[in-house]
Amino acid sequence: LLRKGKAVGLAEGDALVETIYEICTFLLFTGYLLFYDNRGLQLAFVCIGLGGSALICISKAYESRLKLPLNTIWYSLFFILAEASAFWAHSPENATSRYLRLMLVLIAVSLGISQYVDTTEHCEKLFKIFAFSATIISVTQLVFTPVSDWTEGFFGSEVGGNNPNTFGYVVSIGAIA
């Protein structure tokens, strides 16, 4: 953040950075699943979420409080191994599919979350964001799924083309949060 031409760290712009990060995280959680079939919109929401993660990481780095958690290191090592496996894959173009891009998103999001959640209050806010996101996704599914399909067993694929299991685990985690 810049204020009067000078860089302002997280300590001075704490509330603004946190609010921007919370909005970006909500948009990432909601938009990624609602627009699963629309790669352009999904990419836009991923970029918004990654921007929020980058903002909080830059702010923490400016204050010399940036930490590299173990789960981010493991995600990074797994990503390197998965990417290296493309060299010996039968079909290299399929080996570097959207799943590897998803792993990059997971690395960036986990790094952003680890920088944001430094208090119990932040952890509770993140749970509320996830629960609210799951509520929005659920209401959207209810509105756009025909009533006749509610008992067919494939509830959750009408909006965004998600696998019903994906819809189920997101909503169950949101209910727990």
Side-chain angles (χ1 to χ4, degrees):
L1 296 170
L2 293 176
R3 186 177 295 149
K4 295 182 182 177
K6 293 179 131 185
V8 176
L10 189 60
E12 294 178 37
D14 198 21
L16 178 62
V17 170
E18 288 177 1
T19 302
I20 291 171
Y21 176 76
E22 291 162 1
I23 291 169
C24 291
T25 302
F26 168 74
L27 290 174
L28 172 67
F29 287 162
T30 307
Y32 189 81
L33 286 172
L34 284 181
F35 300 106
Y36 193 76
D37 273 352
N38 188 331
R39 294 286 179 217
L41 280 174
Q42 188 185 43
L43 181 63
F45 282 102
V46 165
C47 288
I48 289 169
L50 295 180
S53 290
L55 176 67
I56 200 156
C57 288
I58 290 168
S59 295
K60 292 276 185 151
Y62 179 79
E63 292 292 318
S64 299
R65 295 186 303 169
L66 184 69
K67 56 186 175 231
L68 192 60
L70 188 60
N71 68 324
T72 304
I73 295 169
W74 280 111
Y75 279 140
S76 301
L77 291 173
F78 181 72
F79 175 77
I80 291 169
L81 177 65
E83 194 62 34
S85 71
F87 292 119
W88 62 80
H90 182 280
S91 177
E93 61 276 355
N94 289 335
T96 57
S97 66
R98 64 186 170 103
Y99 299 108
L100 293 178
R101 289 189 298 271
L102 177 60
M103 283 192 287
L104 273 177
V105 170
L106 286 174
I107 291 168
V109 169
S110 71
L111 184 61
I113 288 173
S114 68
Q115 303 310 308
Y116 174 73
V117 178
D118 55 358
T119 64
T120 305
E121 178 185 305
H122 286 160
C123 186
E124 289 174 1
K125 274 187 185 178
L126 192 64
F127 284 146
K128 288 177 184 176
I129 289 169
F130 197 80
F132 186 61
S133 178
T135 303
I136 297 292
I137 292 168
S138 299
V139 169
T140 306
Q141 290 287 350
L142 282 171
V143 169
F144 289 104
T145 300
V147 177
S148 60
D149 290 350
W150 286 8
T151 58
E152 295 296 315
F154 292 105
F155 190 81
S157 60
E158 292 298 320
V159 178
N162 285 311
N163 182 320
N165 293 334
T166 303
F167 172 71
Y169 79 72
V170 167
V171 171
S172 64
I173 291 172
I176 291 170

